[in-house]
């Protein structure tokens, strides 16, 4: 269906798509929405529908985070994005001794289904798309979400959202893993299998380059390592007998956007082309199973505590990179995030940055507007070539799991991070306000503070929950999970039953620790 006509401010009509040369003979130019999707996964891209505007939020208790979600929804976000605290990420309840000092700090504390009910109070899960940045315990958080949706009377077939669920990048770059790689991969394929049948619109994994980049990788390494990890998940699912044309449609990606505008755009275009070819080579025949769909977050590591208002300009450049590169969903960082969690004002400005680009800049009026630029096309090819060379190295090691166990990815990232820092310290690379254009300033940006009493609140709630639940039923659910972990039965239905009977996140994680052990 043709979209409405668009015009520049001077009244010049803008075509939906432009080509750099006429379509003659065998020289068919690449078309948006067609293999290999270099120019985007939709034929009309943002002329049909803007990207999903998300704001990543989560802190303190579920009630406090719930207030921020209602505020963001009132300000025009079209999807929620949940940050969890460290104990939740690594499978400890708030009252565990290792949780001390961390409860509610870098995200929201979620110990039980009761916390999930508080987190989404007044929000119908059928009506929002929710992204949850959670990996080692992703299956438990998904179970909480599904159990809550069932309590709300939602049709599970209509639920949309994403769990990050990308454990390989945790071993390579971030560190919030629990179990060794092989049982972790088994949990992920259990999620793929269960969701294909019961939660068909849910993105079962968001294969993440974001944290690889935050750890210090280059743009080339970011897509090479991310797509290589993606290939490992696909092969694990194929070995389990799953259909690539079914689970392939529910794979999504999560990339970083940094300040080098043109390299970032080239990176996104190259990643789409590479993934489409990889999936085809692995046996995908359904077009949707070959499409690389991705969420972008602007670069946290690019934000500076010095002259923090400069970060608004950085985030704007990064937003443009994501949009010109064809992202499906976007989170923009607050200008104060090098200092603290974002204040409400900073979160609003970050969201407004997306809205200004979407509604005022004209960047959305035609598909892949930088296509055909000599520079962009050449850069796309160069990024692809260099990334494929890295992937070939990983393939010769036996794939991502082996490359991580050998420390290859970690060493490559560390080398790049060192070189980047060396360039800043030698002034080869200029960071405005840090090593050039420096001013004496007193920081008067109001930081966002988290109250240390949250652990006490959560621990009291856990005590009450354990007293009032059916203890025998909870114990029986945990025994069933332990048996399934040993005999290979799909864990998801049993974990959902356990959380519905108010087993806690820590209890479920510990049950699997007994069977799988911990990765050191």
């Amino acid at each position: 269906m043709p979209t409405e006509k668009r015009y520049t401010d001077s009244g010049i009509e803008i075509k939906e798509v432009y080509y750099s040369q006429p379509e003659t003979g065998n020289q068919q130019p690449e078309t948006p929405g067609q293999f290999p999707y270099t120019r985007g996964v939709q034929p009309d891209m943002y002329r049909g529908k803007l990207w999903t505007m998300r704001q990543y939020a989560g802190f303190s208790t579920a009630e406090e985070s719930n207030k921020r979600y209602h505020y963001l929804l009132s300000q025009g976000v079209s999807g929620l994005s949940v940050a969890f605290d460290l104990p939740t990420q690594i499978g400890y309840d708030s009252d565990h001794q290792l949780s001390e000092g961390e409860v509610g700090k870098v995200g929201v504390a979620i110990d039980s289904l009761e916390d999930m009910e508080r987190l989404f109070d007044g929000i119908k899960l059928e009506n929002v798309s929710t992204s949850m940045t959670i990996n080692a315990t992703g299956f438990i958080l998904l179970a909480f979400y599904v159990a809550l949706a069932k309590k709300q009377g939602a049709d599970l077939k209509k639920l949309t959202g994403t769990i990050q669920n990308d454990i390989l990048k945790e071993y390579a770059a971030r560190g919030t893993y629990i179990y060794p790689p092989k049982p972790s991969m088994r949990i992920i394929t259990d999620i793929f299998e269960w969701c294909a049948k019961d939660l068909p619109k849910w993105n079962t994994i968001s294969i993440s380059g974001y944290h690889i980049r935050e750890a210090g990788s280059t743009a080339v390494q970011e897509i090479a390592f991310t797509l290589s990890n993606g290939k490992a998940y696909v092969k694990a699912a194929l070995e389990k007998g799953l259909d690539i044309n079914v689970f392939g449609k529910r794979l999504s990606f999560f990339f970083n956007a940094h300040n080098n505008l043109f390299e970032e755009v080239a990176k996104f275009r190259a990643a789409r082309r590479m993934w489409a070819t990889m999936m085809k080579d692995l046996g995908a025949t359904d077009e949707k199973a070959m499409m690389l769909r991705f969420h972008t977050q602007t670069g946290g590591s690019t934000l500076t505590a010095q002259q923090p208002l400069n970060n608004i300009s950085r985030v704007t450049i990064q937003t443009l990179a994501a949009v010109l590169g064809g992202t499906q969903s976007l989170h923009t960082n607050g200008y104060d995030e090098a200092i603290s969690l974002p204040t409400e004002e900073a979160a609003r400005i970050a969201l407004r940055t997306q809205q200004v680009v979407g509604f005022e800049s004209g960047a959305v009026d035609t598909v892949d507007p930088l296509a055909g630029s000599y520079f962009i096309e050449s850069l796309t090819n160069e990024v692809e070539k260099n990334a494929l060379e890295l992937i070939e190295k990983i393939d010769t090691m036996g794939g991502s799991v082996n490359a991580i166990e050998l420390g290859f990815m970690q060493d490559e990232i560390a080398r790049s991070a060192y070189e980047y820092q060396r360039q800043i310290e030698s002034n080869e690379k200029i960071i405005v306000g840090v090593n050039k254009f420096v001013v004496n300033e007193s920081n008067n940006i109001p930081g966002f503070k988290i109250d240390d009493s949250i652990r006490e609140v959560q621990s009291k709630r856990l005590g009450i929950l354990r007293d009032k639940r059916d203890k025998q039923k909870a114990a029986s659910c945990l025994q069933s999970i332990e048996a399934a972990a040993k005999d290979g039965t799909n864990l998801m239905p049993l974990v959902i039953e356990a959380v519905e009977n108010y087993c806690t996140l820590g209890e479920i994680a510990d049950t699997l620790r007994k069977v799988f052990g911990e990765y050191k």
Side-chain angles (χ1 to χ4, degrees):
M1 195 175 82
T3 55
E4 85 283 1
K5 290 187 174 184
R6 302 270 179 105
Y7 300 88
T8 69
D9 289 347
S10 303
I12 299 164
E13 187 177 339
I14 304 167
K15 294 182 196 170
E16 187 167 282
V17 185
Y18 289 84
Y19 295 98
S20 57
Q21 77 251 8
E23 298 180 47
T24 53
N26 297 324
Q27 283 234 288
Q28 284 280 1
E30 286 192 25
T31 302
Q34 289 183 17
F35 184 90
Y37 311 108
T38 314
R39 300 200 61 191
V41 293
Q42 303 292 344
D44 57 355
M45 284 304 288
Y46 307 131
R47 279 177 68 130
K49 182 182 176 229
L50 288 182
W51 63 91
T52 302
M53 295 183 188
R54 297 188 187 279
Q55 282 307 107
Y56 187 45
F59 50 85
S60 182
T61 59
E63 288 94 338
E64 287 303 309
S65 293
N66 175 264
K67 285 179 199 166
R68 178 65 66 91
Y69 296 155
H70 279 285
Y71 172 74
L72 290 169
L73 288 166
S74 77
Q75 294 301 305
V77 298
S78 41
L80 297 175
S81 190
V82 185
F84 297 96
D85 73 357
L86 201 54
T88 303
Q89 292 181 50
I90 54 178
Y92 294 120
D93 288 332
S94 295
D95 59 356
H96 192 284
Q97 61 189 36
L98 291 178
S99 298
E100 192 167 347
E102 293 294 343
V103 176
K105 288 289 172 69
V106 297
V108 62
I110 299 292
D111 295 317
S112 71
L113 178 55
E114 280 189 351
D115 285 331
M116 208 65 160
E117 289 166 8
R118 296 179 188 111
L119 186 67
F120 289 103
D121 185 38
I123 298 169
K124 295 291 284 178
L125 299 190
E126 232 182 74
N127 300 339
V128 293
S129 165
T130 304
S131 169
M132 296 191 279
T133 304
I134 193 78
N135 297 283
T137 54
F139 66 107
I140 306 173
L141 271 298
L142 180 60
F144 285 146
Y145 197 84
V146 167
L148 176 58
K150 285 164 75 176
K151 282 189 88 166
Q152 289 186 354
D155 179 354
L156 297 190
K157 300 273 192 281
K158 290 180 183 170
L159 282 194
T160 61
T162 305
I163 40 170
Q164 192 163 95
N165 197 28
D166 174 8
I167 203 64
L168 291 179
K169 68 96 178 47
E170 294 297 327
Y171 301 117
R174 192 161 170 266
T176 66
Y177 45 74
I178 303 174
Y179 315 112
K182 287 188 175 63
S184 294
M185 293 292 275
R186 174 260 170 106
I187 292 170
I188 286 167
T189 54
D190 278 1
I191 294 167
F192 286 2
E193 183 177 51
W194 183 81
C195 286
K197 188 164 57 70
D198 291 273
L199 214 64
K201 288 190 171 181
W202 193 266
N203 295 322
T204 51
I205 194 166
S206 176
I207 305 157
S208 174
Y210 184 84
H211 302 98
I212 289 169
R213 192 68 177 280
E214 288 293 286
S217 82
T218 64
V220 165
Q221 288 169 335
E222 180 188 351
I223 61 167
F225 298 160
T226 306
L227 299 192
S228 186
N229 289 348
K231 195 196 282 192
Y233 293 124
V234 170
K235 286 185 169 176
L238 290 171
E239 280 164 22
K240 194 164 185 163
L242 304 183
D243 183 347
I244 193 169
N245 287 321
V246 176
F247 74 79
K249 293 178 195 172
R250 304 279 31 112
L251 305 177
S252 66
F253 288 81
F254 174 24
F255 290 121
N256 209 314
H258 271 223
N259 291 329
N260 191 319
L261 178 70
F262 298 110
E263 184 177 44
E264 294 301 296
V265 173
K267 175 188 80 179
F268 297 132
R269 299 174 88 248
R272 265 195 300 272
R273 187 158 74 201
M274 290 164 68
W275 184 247
T277 307
M278 270 185 197
M279 287 296 275
K280 195 173 189 179
D281 291 346
L282 287 163
T285 52
D286 188 306
E287 281 189 358
K288 285 208 163 90
M290 297 182 227
M291 288 178 183
L292 182 143
R293 296 165 302 112
F294 67 98
H295 169 71
T296 309
Q297 182 172 338
T298 58
S301 61
T302 68
L303 302 177
T304 65
Q306 300 92 328
Q307 301 177 35
L309 290 175
N310 294 345
N311 293 328
I312 297 174
S313 302
R314 293 185 177 103
V315 169
T316 305
I317 292 167
Q318 294 162 10
T319 300
L320 267 173
V323 170
L324 294 172
T327 195
Q328 275 59 67
S329 130
L330 178 60
H331 162 84
T332 32
N333 291 328
Y335 66 82
D336 55 358
E337 287 190 56
I339 299 161
S340 71
L341 286 170
T343 58
E344 208 165 83
E345 181 201 48
R348 185 176 66 245
I349 291 170
L351 174 61
R352 293 288 181 259
T353 304
Q354 294 196 50
Q355 291 165 337
V356 168
V357 170
F359 295 101
E360 295 185 32
S361 73
V364 303
D365 288 339
T366 188
V367 181
D368 193 21
L370 296 184
S373 148
Y374 298 127
F375 181 37
I376 282 291
E377 295 299 350
S378 173
L379 204 49
T380 302
N381 295 338
E382 287 285 325
V383 168
E384 179 179 30
K385 178 172 79 72
N386 292 341
L388 286 172
E389 283 170 9
L390 266 177
I391 290 171
E392 279 166 27
K393 277 188 190 173
I394 292 166
D395 286 346
T396 60
M397 294 174 196
S400 272
V401 177
N402 287 355
I404 288 164
E405 287 178 339
L406 291 167
F408 171 73
M409 287 190 195
Q410 298 93 312
D411 289 347
E412 289 288 306
I413 294 166
R415 248 195 302 277
S416 296
Y418 172 81
E419 178 56 20
Y420 184 80
Q421 190 59 33
R422 187 198 64 73
Q423 288 177 356
I424 292 171
E425 289 178 15
S426 66
N427 282 4
E428 290 168 59
K429 182 175 279 295
I430 299 301
I431 307 294
V432 173
V434 175
N435 61 359
K436 201 172 174 71
F437 315 114
V438 178
V439 294
N440 288 325
E441 59 180 343
S442 56
N443 176 20
N444 55 3
I445 301 287
F448 190 94
K449 296 283 185 283
I450 298 294
D451 189 341
D452 277 324
S453 66
I454 290 157
R455 182 166 185 253
E456 219 176 285
V457 171
Q458 286 295 108
S459 299
K460 203 173 283 179
R461 285 173 170 175
L462 278 165
I464 294 166
L465 176 79
R466 292 189 186 112
D467 282 344
K468 73 179 181 186
R469 70 186 178 184
D470 183 332
K471 293 181 184 62
Q472 272 184 310
K473 187 67 185 160
S476 161
C477 286
L478 294 173
Q479 283 165 2
S480 299
I481 289 171
E482 187 175 342
K486 289 172 180 169
D487 70 20
T489 304
N490 192 306
L491 290 164
M492 277 308 296
L494 299 166
V495 174
I496 292 166
E497 187 186 1
V499 304
E500 286 175 329
N501 285 284
Y502 294 97
C503 292
T504 69
L505 172 123
E507 290 166 345
I508 294 165
D510 281 347
T511 299
L512 294 179
R513 278 184 178 96
K514 281 196 291 189
V515 181
F516 298 146
E518 288 190 83
Y519 185 69
K520 302 293 185 195

